[in-house]
Structures are given as C-alpha cells and as structure tokens.
Amino acid sequence: MKMSLSTLQKMAESHEKIAILTCYDATFAAVLESAGVDALLVGDSLGNVLHGNTTTLAVTLRDMIYHTRCVAQGASNAFIIADMPFGSYQKSPEQAFENAAALIAAGAQMVKIEGGHLMADTVRFLAQRGIPVCAHIGLTPQSIHQLGGYKLQGNNDKAAKQLSDDAKALEKSGASLLVLEMIPAKLAKKITQSLAIPTIGIGAGPDCAGQVLVLHDMLGISQGKKPRFVKDFMANSNSIQEAISHYVNTVKTGQFPGKEHQF
Ligand code: KIV
C-alpha cells in the first residue's frame, strides 16, 4: 500500500521509527522500498553524489524534476519527498508554489525546503494550497557559504534557542515534517519532544521520530571524508539489499545512530 503523510504521522504517534534514505533513480527506489525504507528523499545531495560537486548549490529545478520522475517510476509504496533546490523558493511564496507544483506533478508527495522562521510564510503558503512541506533546520547545506563550513549547529545556548524557536514557528506555519541536521543529540531530543510533527534526524542523535542518510554515504561509496554521523552499512553486508535492510532494522530498533554517530 502507498505510504501517505498520515501513515508517517501514525508511525511517529505509535513510536515506530521512520526510516528514510535519499534516492535518485528508479532501480534504487525499488530496492530501497523492498528492503523496508518508508520514505525516499530525492535530495539535492545529488549535486554531490551524482554530479561530483562540493556543494548542492548548482542543482537546478530541472535536475530535481528529472530525478523525482525517475524515483516515482520505481517506487510503488514508499513516500516520496523532493528537495526544492537553491534559488527555487527563497524569492517569494508564489515562486515556491510554482516550483513545488512542478515537483508534485513529477511524483513527489511532499517538498523539502531549508531554513528557519524566515521560511514560515512560504511554508504556510504551500501548506494552505495542498502541498505538504518538510522543513529542514540545523546544518542547511544551501547556506554553506553563510555557515562557513559543514559543522555542528546549535552548540551554544543562543543558537540552540534559535533552532527551538525556528522549529516551533515552522510547525505553527504548517510544516508536516522537520529534518534536523547535525545538531547536538540533547537539543534534537528537546525539539522533538516540543513538537507534534515528526522530526527526522541526520547527525541529530537517536531521539528523533526517524532518521535519514545519504544513500551513497551509507553504502560507503561517497568520496571524501566520512562525516561522524554516517555509518557504512556495506562494511558488514554481502549485498546492497542486505546493507539497506540492516539500516532499516537498526533505525527501527533504535540501534542507529549509536553514541559514536552523535554530537
Ligand atoms: O539533500 C539531501 O540529501 C538532504 C539530506 C541530507 C537530509 O537534504
């Protein structure tokens, strides 16, 4: 049966962890969902792992539409979330709606946008017009030049309060999911407990409602330095299918992320 937003909400309410991976093509979409992955994120991380760039900034709406279509073609059951790429939603809520609608038409069931309370009006505009929104705070790769590097966010009282306030504002404006990237586990737990919507962690400890990783990272085939929060699930597996099942099982049982993967 096709996963819906309400299935994900019910999973969070019943404390079943949500297992998400990024996905960019039809073959992997089928493999991932048959291994039990609940939702597929067509991430703009494709700029890194498919295009070979050091940032996600050059990914276009056209790229995202193409890969969303490929994933939708291969997935019969998994919920599909598509990233809105840099420059496709920051100008105005109207711009965001037009571009989000194109991703929904390509097969996405939800769009993801990066940013805190300043994105609240855009989230509201989309949600009120029938487009479910996943917000994304903490380390937001599209702001890499402003953040000054891929580093831990929310690690002092002021920054932690700002993230907690952002999370509340995004929920209030109608976001249905919230990605928390690279923040202290204690802060992610506090934010998760303060919200009714599910949080999805990446480098945010074990207490989020679900987890997400970049597919190529968890298969151990990404180039460059492996972030602390990534586990190579291929290391002890005989096949890609086995590695993905292992990821799903360890997320569901709360074994991943372990202490060594958190901040
Ligand atoms: O683009 C992506 O893969 C993401 C995840 C890292 C959350 O946004």
Side-chain angles (χ1 to χ4, degrees):
M1 211 181 67
K2 185 75 180 165
M3 293 283 276
S4 64
L5 179 55
S6 63
T7 326
L8 297 179
Q9 284 160 343
K10 278 185 197 130
M11 285 171 70
E13 277 159 27
S14 60
H15 302 288
E16 180 185 346
K17 298 276 185 189
I18 301 166
I20 305 183
L21 284 174
T22 66
C23 185
Y24 318 100
D25 66 51
T27 302
F28 267 109
V31 169
L32 265 50
E33 72 171 19
S34 70
V37 176
D38 300 303
L40 309 176
L41 169 64
V42 190
D44 62 353
S45 51
L46 67 84
N48 306 111
V49 297
L50 301 191
H51 297 170
N53 293 323
T54 53
T55 72
T56 57
L57 299 174
V59 175
T60 64
L61 182 67
R62 203 164 157 204
D63 294 329
M64 294 308 303
I65 291 171
Y66 173 79
H67 287 281
T68 300
R69 238 188 237 130
C70 294
V71 169
Q73 202 66 32
S76 331
N77 301 323
F79 189 76
I80 301 175
I81 307 167
D83 257 337
M84 298 200 68
F86 179 63
S88 72
Y89 60 94
Q90 290 91 344
K91 201 163 132 188
S92 67
E94 287 79 3
Q95 180 212 23
F97 180 80
E98 194 175 324
N99 294 329
L103 291 168
I104 298 290
Q109 292 162 278
M110 167 180 266
V111 297
K112 177 163 82 59
I113 67 176
E114 297 183 6
H117 64 285
L118 293 176
M119 282 297 132
D121 285 346
T122 298
V123 170
R124 187 175 305 105
F125 195 86
L126 297 182
Q128 286 178 345
R129 285 159 182 78
I131 299 185
V133 180
C134 174
H136 179 164
I137 59 172
L139 175 65
T140 45
Q142 292 176 13
S143 306
I144 194 64
H145 296 315
Q146 202 164 39
L147 298 176
Y150 295 97
K151 50 193 181 198
L152 187 67
Q153 303 296 309
N155 55 347
N156 61 59
D157 289 350
K158 190 167 167 232
K161 179 169 183 325
Q162 183 61 61
L163 286 175
S164 297
D165 291 349
D166 284 341
K168 278 275 175 211
L170 290 161
E171 175 178 63
K172 196 164 168 230
S173 61
S176 302
L177 278 187
L178 176 65
V179 167
L180 299 173
E181 180 164 354
M182 222 173 157
I183 66 171
K186 224 169 115 187
L187 174 61
K189 181 175 182 180
K190 192 176 148 226
I191 292 175
T192 300
Q193 288 173 343
S194 73
L195 302 178
I197 59 170
T199 57
I200 306 297
I202 172 164
D207 296 303
C208 297
Q211 299 289 328
V212 61
L213 281 179
V214 170
L215 177 65
H216 295 53
D217 287 350
M218 58 79 70
L219 292 178
I221 54 171
S222 290
Q223 304 301 302
K225 191 169 167 264
K226 180 161 74 84
R228 177 186 168 95
F229 56 80
V230 170
K231 177 173 171 175
D232 175 1
F233 285 85
M234 268 310 273
N236 294 310
S237 303
N238 293 312
S239 66
I240 288 175
Q241 278 88 346
E242 199 179 301
I244 309 285
S245 298
H246 189 42
Y247 168 74
V248 172
N249 291 338
T250 54
V251 167
K252 299 269 176 199
T253 55
Q255 291 163 277
F256 177 78
K259 278 257 172 286
E260 68 278 27
H261 307 117
Q262 353 177 339
F263 301 97

